[in-house]
Amino acid sequence: MFCPSRRSTAVATGLLLTLSLSTACSSGKESSGEDSVGKVDGKISITYLQKQGDQEYFVGEAAGAKAKAKELGIGLKVVNLGNDANKTVSEVQSAVAQKAKGVIIVVPDPAVGPQVAQTAKDGKVALLTSDDQICTTGPDPAKCGKDDLVSRIGFSGAQMGNEVGKRAAAEYRKAGWKASDTRVVSAWKQDVTVCGDRVTSARKAFDAAVPGVRTINVATDNTPTGAQDKIAATVTANSKVKNWVVWGCNDENAMGGVTALQNAGIGPDHVIGVGLGAYLACKEWQTDKKSGMKAALFINGKDVGALAVQTMYDKLKNGKDFPKEAFAPTTMVDHSTWKSSGLTCS
């Protein structure tokens, strides 16, 4: 997933957040064992476990969570899981042992979902995910029944991908490129469900606007260097392609692709990068130098962290059921609009 950090928005988080409940039918079956978690009297303590906690988006998410916890007067512990699936399970066990009342988690690997959910259920701890989905009954959320998905706070992958695809198509039309001279690179970590949602929607939106451009799917680890290496190999294997469109699960993939193309000697007039996050893209726009990164969808981790903590608090303090999903807002930005959007580029 997806993302900005060390920055604040111009509008208060409370005014920005919008709550969108999924329209999927429910059998009434509770996921993650939340039916065993009652209202809490007295002090509320929450543990927030994050993959890649030093990534800019997640630093911002942690800051938003801490600010909201302070506002609500509750205890919050934030743990960086890195990319360690084993640490994920042990930290959930630790949260249970330390009498946390709720756990919010961004998993490094969705395969740990069933074990995480069972551990939380056995420990009578409310479980909520942010950003990435997990399933209570299997390792792959994409193959999970809707009632077996743990409630999630984040962004709508389909909506985000749609915005990315539409903007890429608009930039393509503006450039006047031909389909025969162009390839789309779509890059993402392919076992992350929300990533698949994003790139699939981007492709559909792009094809609907400008059909006929061939797409090359590139599997990455969702890091800038990982994406750069994989996309560089793709560019080498397609050396006769004149123009390139690049998008992915996050800014890391898009920026890695733009860098790979630049290193291959392909100028910015022949590259359309559309990021997702804007926290790396904005660094390209701090001068008037031309860049292949043409736009990015601004997503604010602070909003997600704050909304996740508020949602957990409402459950524990007031007995309010988790929504199946709740979404924070997004804004498309570019060289001319990123500053006025409230994005602060570190």
Side-chain angles (χ1 to χ4, degrees):
M1 15 208 69
F2 18 221
C3 314
S5 81
R6 297 187 183 93
R7 55 185 173 78
S8 59
T9 52
V11 184
T13 296
L15 296 177
L16 273 173
L17 295 175
T18 56
L19 186 66
S20 303
L21 303 184
S22 68
T23 55
C25 296
S26 171
S27 66
K29 177 182 176 183
E30 298 284 358
S31 66
S32 77
E34 76 170 84
D35 55 337
S36 64
V37 180
K39 290 171 61 175
V40 175
D41 294 324
K43 183 72 173 179
I44 292 176
S45 59
I46 297 172
T47 298
Y48 208 130
L49 307 177
Q50 296 177 303
K51 71 177 183 183
Q52 300 173 332
D54 56 352
Q55 186 196 70
E56 293 196 34
Y57 170 82
F58 293 115
V59 172
E61 184 176 76
K66 290 173 183 177
K68 179 58 70 173
K70 183 177 180 180
E71 174 190 325
L72 296 172
I74 61 178
L76 177 70
K77 178 182 178 181
V78 178
V79 179
N80 178 10
L81 301 172
N83 288 305
D84 191 338
N86 291 328
K87 186 175 181 180
T88 305
V89 176
S90 66
E91 287 293 346
V92 175
Q93 293 169 340
S94 178
V96 171
Q98 293 171 14
K99 308 298 183 185
K101 301 301 182 182
V103 169
I104 305 168
I105 188 167
V106 194
V107 293
D109 184 344
V112 301
Q115 190 172 356
V116 165
Q118 190 62 50
T119 300
K121 182 175 181 179
D122 292 345
K124 293 183 169 50
V125 172
L127 180 64
L128 182 66
T129 64
S130 70
D131 304 290
D132 300 341
Q133 287 183 313
I134 61 173
C135 178
T136 63
T137 57
D140 185 355
K143 299 176 181 178
C144 188
K146 291 185 182 300
D147 292 327
D148 295 322
L149 291 170
V150 176
S151 297
R152 181 178 78 92
I153 305 298
F155 298 99
S156 166
Q159 181 182 11
M160 288 192 297
N162 184 63
E163 292 301 315
V164 168
K166 287 196 301 183
R167 181 56 181 260
E171 295 289 342
Y172 173 91
R173 287 195 300 264
K174 185 168 70 174
W177 294 352
K178 295 180 180 179
S180 58
D181 297 332
T182 306
R183 294 292 182 272
V184 173
V185 168
S186 181
W188 76 104
K189 192 171 188 293
Q190 297 184 351
D191 62 352
V192 178
T193 308
V194 293
C195 287
D197 293 342
R198 296 171 191 179
V199 297
T200 298
S201 293
R203 180 71 224 183
K204 288 179 179 178
F206 186 86
D207 281 349
V210 286
V213 182
R214 195 177 128 203
T215 296
I216 303 172
N217 295 321
V218 179
T220 75
D221 62 359
N222 278 354
T223 68
T225 53
Q228 182 179 331
D229 291 345
K230 295 289 188 178
I231 294 171
T234 300
V235 174
T236 299
N238 293 270
S239 59
K240 294 183 180 180
V241 174
K242 181 180 180 182
N243 304 309
W244 293 88
V245 178
V246 184
W247 65 59
C249 179
N250 53 17
D251 250 28
E252 284 80 357
N253 282 289
M255 196 67 250
V258 169
T259 302
L261 289 161
Q262 177 181 313
N263 291 345
I266 299 171
D269 289 338
H270 296 280
V271 179
I272 294 171
V274 181
L276 204 162
Y279 46 91
L280 295 181
C282 66
K283 296 177 182 180
E284 294 284 287
W285 304 327
Q286 291 180 321
T287 70
D288 290 331
K289 183 180 177 181
K290 278 191 173 183
S291 171
M293 186 67 83
K294 299 300 191 292
L297 194 66
F298 172 28
I299 59 176
N300 192 343
K302 290 182 68 176
D303 290 348
V304 173
L307 183 55
V309 169
Q310 181 69 61
T311 302
M312 181 63 77
Y313 176 85
D314 290 342
K315 165 66 179 173
L316 297 175
K317 188 69 174 179
N318 304 314
K320 183 178 179 181
D321 289 341
F322 289 145
K324 295 300 287 184
E325 289 187 297
F327 302 138
T330 61
T331 306
M332 186 63 71
V333 296
D334 57 27
H335 185 278
S336 64
T337 63
W338 71 271
K339 288 183 180 178
S340 61
S341 74
L343 168 60
T344 300
C345 200
S346 61

